[in-house]
Structures are given as C-alpha cells and as structure tokens.
Amino acid sequence: MALATLTARPVVRYIFLVFVVIIALHSILSLTHSGYSQATSLSHLLGSSQARPTVPADYYEDIVPAYLNSSNNNNGHLLTRKANATMLMLARNSDIDGAVRSVREVEDRFNRKFGYPWVFLNEEDFSEEFKKRISVITTTPVSFGRIPHDHWFQPSWIDEGKASAGRKKMEDDGVIYGGSLSYRNMCRFNSGFFYRHELLQPYRYYWRVEPDVHFHCEVDFDPFLFMGDYNKTYGFTITMYEFEKTIPTLWDTVKAFVKEHPQYVSPENAMAFLSEDGGERYNLCHFWSNFEIADMDFWRGEAYTKFFEYLDKTGGFYYERWGDAPVHSIAAGLLSRKDQIHFFSEIGYEHNPYTHCPTGEAWTRGRCSCNEGRSFDYDGYSCMAKWDRVNGIVH
C-alpha cells in the first residue's frame, strides 16, 4: 500500500499542475483576444455599440450532401460529377504577381481536387509572361481573352463634360477611385458585360477570383454543384455598406425600374436586407463582389437584362460611380428569391482589409489558417446582422 501511495502522488501532482497551466493559458488568451478586438474592430473605431451576436453554431453550415462529403474527395481524386462552371479572373498584365498568388491558393485549397477550368479577361492582350506563369500552376484548361472595346470603354453617348465634373468632385471629396475612369469601366463591365464574353458562353456558373486575395481554408465540397442542386443564384462571403457618395441616385433609379416593371420582382425577395423601411430608402448594404459564386443564367435572363439596361441608360456608372457590388446585390435581392442567395460560411476568404473566417467546427474541418477573432462578419461596417434578420435570426 505504501509503495502504491508513493507512486500515485507524483501522478496526482502532475495532473494538478497540467490543470493549473490550462486554466492560466485560457485566461491569458481570453484577455489577449479581448484586447485585440477592442483595438482593431471597426465597430470600436466607428464608435458602434453593436455586440457580436450569438448565432446557432450550425445555422450557416453548408448543406453538404453525401456525394460531396464522401471518400471521392480524398487523395486528390476528382468527383465523378462536375458542374458546368469555371473559375474567373479579371486582371491586367501588371497584376501578374498578385494573380499568381491568388490562383496558387485557389488551386491548393480547392481546385487541385475538383479540376475546374480558368478564364482570364483583360482589356488588353495578355503578355506571354502572364500566360506562362499562370499556366504552370494549374493542370486544368486555361483561357485568356481580350474584352471587346464596346464592353469596356465609356460609351460615346455619355456626356464627358458632365462625367469629368463628377469625377473631379468625387476626387476632391476624397472618394476612393472617385477620379478614376478605368475603375468605372470595370464596374460597368462587371455589372453588365462579363457574362457575355465569348469565353464564358460555354459555362453557367463562375467563381470570381481577384489578384491578391487569400483563401484560408480547405474547400472539400463543390460549391458549383451545391449552387445547382439547391437552386441558388448568388453566393457570397462578405457583406458591408457602400459609400453613399458613389451612388446618390442609384436607389431612386431602382425604384423607378420596379415601378415600371413590377413583374420582374420576386414575391419572396430580400428587400429586408436592402432597406429598413420597405424599400423607401436604401440602407447601403451589399455583398462584396470581389468574391462571388453565381449563376450566369440569372445575369443573362430577361429580368436582369432589363434591369441593367435601365440603369445603364441613365449614365450613373460614369456620372456617379456605381459599383458592380451594389448593382449585383440589389438585383439578386429583388429579382430572385431570398433563399436563392447563399452565405458560403465554410469558405475562408480575405480581400484586404477584410476577412471572413469560419468559426467552430467549420474552422477545424477546413483546417483554416485565419484568426476567428478577426472575422469581419459582425464588425461595425458589416451587414451580416441584417442578412441574419432576413433568415430569421434577430439580434
């Protein structure tokens, strides 16, 4: 008995010490995380008192059916069933380093397992260096295309005097890209023309990827198949407020379109995400379109075609600075059902300075490299709480 007692005492002391160390580490980490959040969160910088809400852990879990969560995903084997889809990047030759980094991360985290093709579009011809450096980091087909002149450049019917005055005013007001004509060309192209490009005609779905973005988690399911199987129109990871000075007349134009064409508005729309008063005023919320997985049949359809044409004829892309993000978001929110818009919670994504980082089991399952505490989801400039409201989560 004496020998057994002497042997047990060191074990008991060891267990007790481990328990004490764990408690201490937990307290330190909790304090560190709290201090970091207070120092860096947008809600703190903006003086917002919005608290991080409690969302059920599995509420935004992707519906991953058996065929996406099976052993077919292991060891780099491609799934036997694929969607009619492509990866898509709009880039210039000068973006080569950032483009290579983005493609490398997408390939490592997702596409090496699923093997979707890439389409690259540019307002000019791609350089041989660009094509060479991109082509060696993926084994899937890669296409490089030049954007047609009329799809990119400011149309001749725009009053350049009025447009240049608008650019100067925004530049004087310190609006980001306020004085940039090329930025306006890009926004208009992304709003109404990219899906018309000949290289995209064979495809229905696309995943938009930009240079210098990061993907922090393994994507072990196929978002394209998910979109098709569950009849989704638009997928996002980050949502935020738009700069009001860039779109002063956009919502009035949208309301005029709705009044003239009520047949295009879905009865089960997501107006509650876009407006606090039933549509009288726009709350500026939009999905950040530098990441989007979407159905080009929606953009190519009659409702969105009429919508874009109505917006375009006002000249707002040039007289103001209408972005493709609010245009896409308003269209998806009004012209499709709210349940056709999907938050891809499991895809860890970063476009400086904002990051969506999965939490809990999704973070572990995705072997994510991002810091859960830095996720933008419920920061003061985020509209995620409003999207929760659309889905019945009240904070």
Side-chain angles (χ1 to χ4, degrees):
M1 288 293 294
L3 180 60
T5 302
L6 289 172
T7 303
R9 285 175 180 170
V11 175
V12 171
R13 285 198 299 271
Y14 175 79
I15 293 173
F16 176 77
L17 286 173
V18 169
F19 180 77
V20 170
V21 169
I22 290 173
I23 294 297
L25 284 173
H26 181 269
S27 299
I28 292 171
L29 290 172
S30 297
L31 288 170
T32 302
H33 175 265
S34 175
Y36 180 84
S37 298
Q38 289 231 342
T40 62
S41 71
L42 277 173
S43 58
H44 175 72
L45 294 174
L46 296 173
S48 170
S49 61
Q50 179 181 5
R52 183 174 295 270
T54 301
V55 178
D58 61 348
Y59 188 84
Y60 286 122
E61 289 296 302
D62 286 307
I63 306 167
V64 185
Y67 64 81
L68 296 181
N69 201 27
S70 69
S71 60
N72 287 333
N73 286 332
N74 296 332
N75 303 317
H77 295 302
L78 300 180
L79 294 177
T80 57
R81 188 165 72 93
K82 293 178 67 175
N84 180 19
T86 185
M87 313 301 298
L88 172 65
M89 180 180 288
L90 177 66
R92 290 173 165 164
N93 291 315
S94 57
D95 295 322
I96 179 60
D97 290 334
V100 166
R101 284 192 292 270
S102 293
V103 173
R104 176 76 279 166
E105 289 195 23
V106 172
E107 289 294 310
D108 288 346
R109 291 297 203 173
F110 166 71
N111 207 39
R112 63 182 170 80
K113 295 168 284 189
F114 293 90
Y116 282 99
W118 283 87
V119 172
F120 293 84
L121 300 179
N122 190 350
E123 65 188 277
E124 301 176 344
D125 290 329
F126 280 104
S127 67
E128 291 305 312
E129 179 194 7
F130 191 103
K131 291 189 282 189
K132 177 182 177 181
R133 290 184 61 187
I134 290 294
S135 297
V136 298
I137 54 178
T138 179
T139 59
T140 64
V142 182
S143 301
F144 300 93
R146 182 168 181 165
I147 298 167
H149 180 278
D150 291 346
H151 288 185
W152 183 264
F153 292 98
Q154 177 177 295
S156 59
W157 52 265
I158 290 291
D159 181 340
E160 175 52 27
K162 181 178 178 180
S164 60
R167 293 196 299 271
K168 185 177 187 310
K169 184 178 188 309
M170 285 196 187
E171 189 172 30
D172 292 344
D173 290 344
V175 175
I176 186 170
Y177 304 120
S180 173
L181 177 57
S182 63
Y183 188 83
R184 288 166 169 80
N185 290 337
M186 179 190 69
C187 290
R188 180 172 178 263
F189 172 75
N190 281 330
S191 295
F193 294 97
F194 79 92
Y195 50 87
R196 308 184 196 189
H197 195 281
E198 61 179 359
L199 292 180
L200 291 173
Q201 295 314 297
Y203 304 109
R204 177 173 178 180
Y205 298 98
Y206 69 97
W207 180 337
R208 177 172 163 182
V209 179
E210 291 199 352
D212 282 316
V213 297
H214 298 287
F215 292 88
H216 292 291
C217 309
E218 291 293 318
V219 181
D220 287 330
F221 68 100
D222 187 330
F224 296 126
L225 286 177
F226 175 85
M227 295 285 287
D229 289 345
Y230 293 94
N231 193 24
K232 303 295 182 181
T233 296
Y234 191 88
F236 72 97
T237 55
I238 291 175
T239 174
M240 62 177 63
Y241 295 97
E242 180 60 293
F243 296 108
E244 188 170 11
K245 288 183 178 180
T246 66
I247 55 166
T249 67
L250 175 58
W251 191 250
D252 285 340
T253 307
V254 170
K255 289 196 295 183
F257 171 82
V258 169
K259 184 176 181 179
E260 292 183 30
H261 303 284
Q263 71 273 23
Y264 294 130
V265 178
S266 171
E268 301 173 37
N269 61 65
M271 177 65 85
F273 172 68
L274 303 169
S275 176
E276 311 301 317
D277 55 12
E280 183 61 30
R281 290 180 294 273
Y282 179 34
N283 63 15
L284 306 177
C285 284
H286 67 281
F287 308 118
W288 216 19
S289 60
N290 47 69
F291 172 104
E292 56 186 12
I293 300 175
D295 182 352
M296 284 185 282
D297 280 0
F298 176 69
W299 308 134
R300 294 165 179 155
E302 179 180 329
Y304 184 77
T305 298
K306 295 293 187 182
F307 178 75
F308 172 74
E309 290 174 350
Y310 194 94
L311 299 185
D312 193 37
K313 71 181 182 181
T314 69
F317 289 101
Y318 292 98
Y319 300 143
E320 297 177 9
R321 204 220 69 185
W322 295 356
D324 55 276
V327 170
H328 279 187
S329 302
I330 292 169
L334 297 183
L335 308 182
S336 63
R337 301 193 314 269
K338 62 185 180 182
D339 66 351
Q340 291 181 291
I341 302 172
H342 184 71
F343 172 45
F344 278 107
S345 63
E346 295 190 343
I347 299 179
Y349 173 72
E350 177 182 350
H351 183 299
N352 187 50
Y354 305 120
T355 301
H356 161 65
C357 188
T359 58
E361 183 182 344
W363 185 88
T364 303
R365 184 172 59 249
R367 301 185 292 283
C368 300
S369 60
C370 50
N371 182 341
E372 295 171 89
R374 295 186 62 183
S375 188
F376 179 69
D377 291 359
Y378 295 103
D379 239 318
Y381 201 58
S382 170
C383 287
M384 196 64 211
K386 297 185 188 300
W387 183 249
D388 289 346
R389 181 183 63 195
V390 170
N391 288 281
I393 298 179
V394 181
H395 304 302

